[in-house]
Amino acid sequence: MPTNLEISRSAERRPLADVAADMGIGAHLVEPYGSTVAKLSLDAVGELADRPPARYVVVTSITPTPLGEGKTTTTVGLGQGFSQLGKRAVVALRQPSMGPTFGIKGGAAGGGYSQVVPMEAMNLHLTGDLHAVTSAHNLLAALLDNHLHKGNALGIDPFSITWRRVLDVNDRELRRIVTGLGGRQDGVPRETGFDITAASEVMAVLALATSLRDLRRRLGRIVVAYDRAGDPVTAEQLKAAGALCVQLREALKPNLLQSVEQTPVLVHCGPFGNIAHGNSSVLADLIGIRCGDYLVTEAGFGADMGAERFFNIKCRASGLVPDAAVVVVTVRALKTHSGRYRVVAGKPLPEAMLRESPEDVYAGAANLRRQLANVRAHGVTPVVAVNAFPGDFDSEHRAILDIAAEEGVRAAVSTHVAHGGKGAAELADVVATACEEPGEFAFLYPEDLPLADKIDLVARRLYGADGIELSPLARRQLDAYTRCGFGDLPVCIAKTHLSLSDDPTRKGAPTGWRLPVREVRASVGAGFVYPVCGEMRTMPGLSSHPAAEQIDIDEAGEVVGLA
């Protein structure tokens, strides 16, 4: 099979004006960025509002291995699969961060014959949205430090500052730094650090904003520190929100691309999946939902994380209601959840794991059952998508289909990576049937439930924990956030994505444990509070041989090495 990059370059592309026209979007709403990418005017939201909404499908997964289980390829493949049924579909995805692109992944545009094209544009800069987020975030940091330098009229407690800087590069050296060293004119010395741009609250704000005015309001609500009385200090108080909004005005517009089979793909925003909601933008969905028969979007990580946040955070912001949820599963992931094998990113799979063993698949079924229950807890109909790999055995696929049948869930084996839309046609047919099933979508908790009770409910209901253990610091922080008026916000639990628990080594569906909450942070502009469970790295490091070592330009001036 050709490489992803070869497939991308050989794909026949339609002019994006024609792609948009098929979506019912007029040329006056399309803003070209070269010949392969365009932005869509926000006026599209209002102009399309009277059209009937498409069926809304979210793609999630079981708890993944470090290699990922193919949610992006399944999302793109499903969109292409609907075309095989004569249906019009729009796909909505997050924008890849260049940190992982130059780190381990080497690219994040899907794969094989289920990918977004052009691969180079998708992974490298696109329309500069991530750079706009980086710039806006760091402008706020500069204005904050300047305020301290110029006398600190707001009485900010320097030890309470929560606003760090960001960069879209994996650079562990910047995790903890000291700024302001030198003379009096060089600033106020203090300890701080850098996060990766995807972890910026500005990114989360951009992804959840419903309009330019909403973006401006959310930016103003961002809390950067607390004063000596313990009251929050916001970007609005620093007179920074207007300038931030100006920097993000173009970035707020969703990007339009296409798949290798010319399915429309909206690529917009990429909030960090561990500490933020891990979903593409609300605005992309508000446009895409009026442009076809189906809107297929992806939520980061397993259903306990990305889908839970899709339901309880993104759907609260957008007002949209999902019709079905696709839970992606692979043979290798279920074998990992059997507890018999260990999968490490960048290393080959254990040889014994490659042998035919439906028994190993059954042994890991508890995780799939739990994630299906997590979808159903929100009143949404789940569908199991078996993402087929070349080394799988038919008996192992049948085992997964049997597990789904035992749970009363529709399922299909999909070969979209190898065969594109044709390989996902059966999955699309099953999803279409599921979308017609009456649903009773409901948030997991009401807004007025106390923050600690929201955390406890998610831990018990979705993770299978016996409850939570709040550290003294976490208790003080929850009390302070409630006092500051943040108690009605939803929670976004920051934990490992490699386990239902807080421990990445615990596979399957662990029981008999409690979720430890080390601290709690507030993303008030984005509109959620995030409890931190375990060590969360918001600035990744590079591996011994990062993907950047393989990425280059050939003699013809073409990019090589993207995976």
Side-chain angles (χ1 to χ4, degrees):
M1 185 165 145
T3 66
N4 291 341
L5 196 52
E6 290 168 342
I7 292 171
S8 173
R9 287 186 179 149
S10 65
E12 183 179 348
R13 302 174 199 158
R14 298 184 66 204
L16 283 176
D18 293 346
V19 174
D22 287 348
M23 300 167 67
I25 296 176
H28 65 291
L29 299 172
V30 181
E31 303 173 5
Y33 273 63
S35 61
T36 59
V37 182
K39 277 193 170 292
L40 298 180
S41 169
L42 298 185
D43 291 341
V45 177
E47 288 195 23
L48 304 176
D50 291 337
R51 295 184 186 173
R55 293 297 193 184
Y56 194 27
V57 181
V58 60
V59 177
T60 182
S61 78
I62 66 170
T63 302
T65 68
L67 306 176
E69 307 320 307
K71 285 192 309 298
T72 304
T73 61
T74 303
T75 303
V76 176
L78 178 57
Q80 296 178 157
F82 280 122
S83 297
Q84 297 293 318
L85 305 181
K87 303 291 186 180
R88 294 185 305 138
V90 176
V91 171
L93 297 175
R94 289 177 293 168
Q95 181 177 344
S97 165
M98 287 197 298
T101 294
F102 289 105
I104 292 177
K105 283 188 175 182
Y113 292 95
S114 288
Q115 62 170 302
V116 183
V117 296
M119 186 179 183
E120 301 98 311
M122 175 75 166
N123 287 287
L124 303 172
H125 305 290
L126 198 56
T127 53
D129 294 348
L130 269 79
H131 302 308
V133 171
T134 301
S135 180
H137 181 112
N138 291 338
L139 173 60
L140 180 53
L143 290 171
L144 171 60
D145 282 329
N146 186 63
H147 183 87
L148 296 177
H149 181 66
K150 296 297 183 180
N152 193 10
L154 292 173
I156 295 170
D157 178 1
F159 294 100
S160 75
I161 293 174
T162 57
W163 199 254
R164 291 154 55 94
R165 285 168 167 80
V166 297
L167 194 66
D168 198 29
V169 173
N170 290 2
D171 193 346
R172 66 172 56 83
E173 298 295 322
L174 296 178
R175 286 172 181 164
R176 298 187 68 175
I177 63 171
V178 176
T179 59
L181 298 181
R184 181 173 297 178
Q185 296 306 310
D186 296 322
V188 178
R190 66 182 183 88
E191 184 177 336
T192 182
F194 276 77
D195 300 320
I196 198 163
T197 298
S200 167
E201 184 179 347
V202 174
M203 177 67 83
V205 165
L206 193 72
L208 290 170
T210 58
S211 66
L212 186 62
R213 295 310 307 171
D214 186 42
L215 174 67
R216 174 63 179 76
R217 286 189 292 269
R218 287 175 179 271
L219 291 170
R221 294 202 306 260
I222 291 174
V223 174
V224 297
Y226 295 83
D227 63 21
R228 295 186 179 92
D231 295 323
V233 177
T234 66
E236 195 69 62
Q237 290 173 277
L238 287 171
K239 301 179 181 179
L244 269 63
C245 191
V246 168
Q247 285 193 301
L248 295 168
R249 185 176 58 173
E250 294 301 311
L252 187 61
K253 301 173 183 178
N255 305 297
L256 175 64
L257 290 87
Q258 60 190 294
S259 77
V260 293
E261 296 182 6
Q262 304 170 355
T263 300
V265 182
L266 298 172
V267 180
H268 199 215
C269 299
F272 206 73
N274 290 99
I275 66 166
H277 53 293
N279 282 262
S280 59
S281 78
V282 165
L283 277 168
D285 287 4
L286 290 176
I287 293 173
I289 200 78
R290 305 289 178 176
C291 293
D293 301 310
Y294 295 90
L295 172 60
V296 186
T297 189
E298 174 196 358
F301 301 139
D304 58 311
M305 298 189 71
E308 183 271 314
R309 294 156 188 187
F310 171 84
F311 297 138
N312 294 298
I313 296 177
K314 186 178 182 182
C315 289
R316 284 184 198 268
S318 70
L320 302 178
V321 175
D323 294 289
V326 176
V327 180
V328 178
V329 60
T330 61
V331 167
R332 75 182 180 198
L334 283 179
K335 286 185 174 182
T336 301
H337 285 295
S338 72
R340 300 169 182 174
Y341 307 100
R342 183 168 176 261
V343 175
V344 179
K347 293 186 178 181
L349 294 175
E351 186 176 341
M353 193 175 180
L354 301 177
R355 299 176 189 145
E356 183 174 8
S357 180
E359 179 190 350
D360 286 345
V361 172
Y362 274 111
N367 188 272
L368 174 57
R369 297 182 198 277
R370 167 65 70 178
Q371 298 291 26
L372 293 173
N374 289 343
V375 171
R376 284 172 156 165
H378 297 87
V380 179
T381 302
V383 172
V384 171
V386 183
N387 182 17
F389 283 69
D392 295 349
F393 295 89
D394 289 342
S395 63
E396 296 170 334
H397 289 164
R398 285 197 301 272
I400 299 174
L401 297 178
D402 288 345
I403 294 165
E406 291 167 7
E407 294 295 315
V409 174
R410 298 177 182 88
V413 177
S414 187
T415 60
H416 46 273
V417 172
H419 304 117
K422 290 182 179 178
E426 181 183 354
L427 174 63
D429 187 49
V430 170
V431 172
T433 301
C435 285
E436 299 305 316
E437 188 173 294
E440 297 180 358
F441 174 72
F443 301 121
L444 194 63
Y445 48 78
E447 291 181 345
D448 59 359
L449 190 70
L451 290 172
D453 292 344
K454 291 173 185 172
I455 302 168
D456 186 77
L457 181 61
V458 173
R460 291 178 186 271
R461 186 87 181 271
L462 301 191
Y463 305 163
D466 291 339
I468 60 175
E469 297 285 354
L470 297 174
S471 71
L473 173 62
R475 289 185 183 278
R476 292 196 300 272
Q477 290 169 325
L478 288 172
D479 289 343
Y481 295 152
T482 301
R483 179 180 61 82
C484 291
F486 309 153
D488 287 344
L489 296 179
V491 295
C492 181
I493 298 177
K495 72 173 186 69
T496 179
H497 59 283
L498 299 174
S499 173
L500 284 163
S501 73
D502 63 301
D503 181 355
T505 66
R506 299 187 71 177
K507 303 302 179 183
T511 58
W513 62 282
R514 298 178 72 82
L515 182 70
V517 180
R518 179 166 54 85
E519 62 175 307
V520 186
R521 303 174 189 172
S523 290
V524 182
F528 55 78
V529 168
Y530 65 101
V532 180
C533 307
E535 188 65 29
M536 288 293 107
R537 290 292 189 193
T538 52
M539 170 56 83
L542 293 172
S543 62
S544 299
H545 298 286
E549 294 180 358
Q550 309 301 320
I551 297 174
D552 207 336
I553 296 289
D554 65 15
E555 293 190 5
E558 298 285 358
V559 175
V560 295
L562 284 174

